[in-house]
Amino acid sequence: MFQALKKDLRKVASIEKAKTLAGFFKTGKGQYGEGDVFLGVTVPQSRIVAKKYHTLPFSGIQKLLDSKIHEERLTAFLILVERYQKGDANAREKVFEFYVKNLKRANNWDLVDLSAPQILGAHLFGQNISEAKKMRALLIKLSQSKNLWERRSAIVATFYLIRKGDFASTLALARHLINDEHDLIHKATGWMLREVGKRNLATLENFLRENSHYRKMPRTMLRYAIERFPKPKRKKYLRV
């Protein structure tokens, strides 16, 4: 099954697409995706393969996650998402534990964004108070990691909670990440704050004014957060 999956990915691969993706995901020397290798397979194509091989054993998924090929890792994470969403409580727990163990393999922003909300975020939602505290503590720990992708996973995971009307974790993590130095964290945090604002504008504005966060946060983060504000209000926040 593992070898068949690899063959299926290569059947739909494109050399030209691979070149485009390598540039888009910053694989050059010194860039955040340095050394990543692309086949040239789109996300929709990867999803089709992931659904076909969603019963791949964890040992096979591990081999994909350990691959230097970006789309093989992506397909592995998409399989885990599929397995999590369709599994019972026991199956979801196993996927969650496996995912956390391999979180560093989600080493580009698409791998994080397509898996963290659906597994990390989903696993936090609906937990009892005791387990929810453990999950929130895990997200805080990840947000303080030296690993860029673990920090991004923490904040992006809260997208699932935002959709459910729970903004507390997003705001708590944003407070931790407001001084982060990496642009990809600025963008992700601003994005999540914007999603909060789309659902509850007052909550977002209260956060921005709290301890003058809007004055302290990186401009990219602020611009993302207030992107949907009316132009006069955006100018007011940016006039700092």
Side-chain angles (χ1 to χ4, degrees):
M1 186 182 290
F2 172 72
Q3 293 299 331
L5 183 156
K6 292 180 67 175
K7 287 181 180 178
D8 279 1
L9 282 176
R10 283 155 179 77
K11 285 178 183 177
V12 294
S14 162
I15 293 176
E16 288 304 313
K17 185 68 174 176
K19 292 178 181 178
T20 300
L21 291 172
F24 186 69
F25 287 103
K26 308 298 183 184
T27 61
K29 186 174 179 59
Q31 296 181 309
Y32 60 74
E34 180 179 355
D36 211 350
V37 179
F38 285 83
L39 292 174
V41 181
T42 66
V43 172
Q45 290 170 329
S46 296
R47 287 191 189 279
I48 291 172
V49 174
K51 287 180 182 294
K52 180 178 179 180
Y53 295 98
H54 71 276
T55 59
L56 184 69
F58 280 117
S59 58
I61 298 174
Q62 187 68 63
K63 289 180 182 178
L64 291 175
L65 290 175
D66 291 338
S67 171
K68 65 180 182 180
I69 305 296
H70 185 98
E71 291 92 340
E72 290 184 355
R73 300 196 305 281
L74 172 60
T75 302
F77 283 116
L78 293 175
I79 289 173
L80 290 175
V81 170
E82 181 84 3
R83 191 87 59 87
Y84 187 92
Q85 292 176 338
K86 292 186 175 180
D88 58 17
N90 184 56
R92 291 196 298 273
E93 185 65 32
K94 289 180 179 179
V95 169
F96 166 73
E97 291 176 358
F98 183 84
Y99 179 77
V100 172
K101 179 182 175 182
N102 286 280
L103 195 52
K104 283 187 173 67
R105 301 306 298 153
N107 55 353
N108 216 312
W109 58 263
D110 62 324
L111 306 182
V112 170
D113 297 359
L114 291 170
S115 62
Q118 294 86 344
I119 299 177
L120 279 182
H123 206 68
L124 171 55
F125 185 76
Q127 295 277 10
N128 61 46
I129 294 176
S130 176
E131 290 302 313
K133 284 183 178 179
K134 291 179 183 178
M135 280 295 301
R136 293 181 194 278
L138 172 62
L139 293 184
I140 292 294
K141 180 180 178 181
L142 290 173
S143 75
Q144 297 170 335
S145 171
K146 292 181 179 179
N147 182 281
L148 163 65
W149 307 114
E150 289 189 339
R151 301 201 306 278
R152 186 173 175 105
S153 293
I155 188 64
V156 174
T158 68
F159 198 6
Y160 188 94
L161 303 175
I162 293 170
R163 291 189 182 117
K164 301 294 184 179
D166 180 354
F167 311 135
S169 291
T170 304
L171 301 181
L173 291 174
R175 293 183 186 99
H176 280 277
L177 294 171
I178 202 165
N179 295 315
D180 198 282
E181 296 181 354
H182 204 288
D183 184 62
L184 285 177
I185 302 301
H186 302 168
K187 291 177 179 178
T189 305
W191 168 28
M192 290 303 105
L193 290 172
R194 183 178 72 232
E195 292 298 326
V196 169
K198 283 165 63 174
R199 292 158 178 83
N200 192 313
L201 182 59
T203 296
L204 172 56
E205 291 211 69
N206 286 340
F207 175 82
L208 292 174
R209 290 192 295 265
E210 175 190 315
N211 296 321
S212 297
H213 282 150
Y214 73 96
R215 294 177 181 271
K216 301 172 184 176
M217 64 174 55
R219 298 293 275 185
T220 297
M221 187 185 296
L222 178 60
R223 287 183 182 279
Y224 269 60
I226 65 176
E227 187 177 63
R228 293 173 64 90
F229 284 13
K231 190 173 181 178
K233 183 178 286 188
R234 285 204 312 274
K235 286 186 174 181
K236 178 182 176 182
Y237 276 102
L238 291 169
R239 201 182 299 128
V240 178

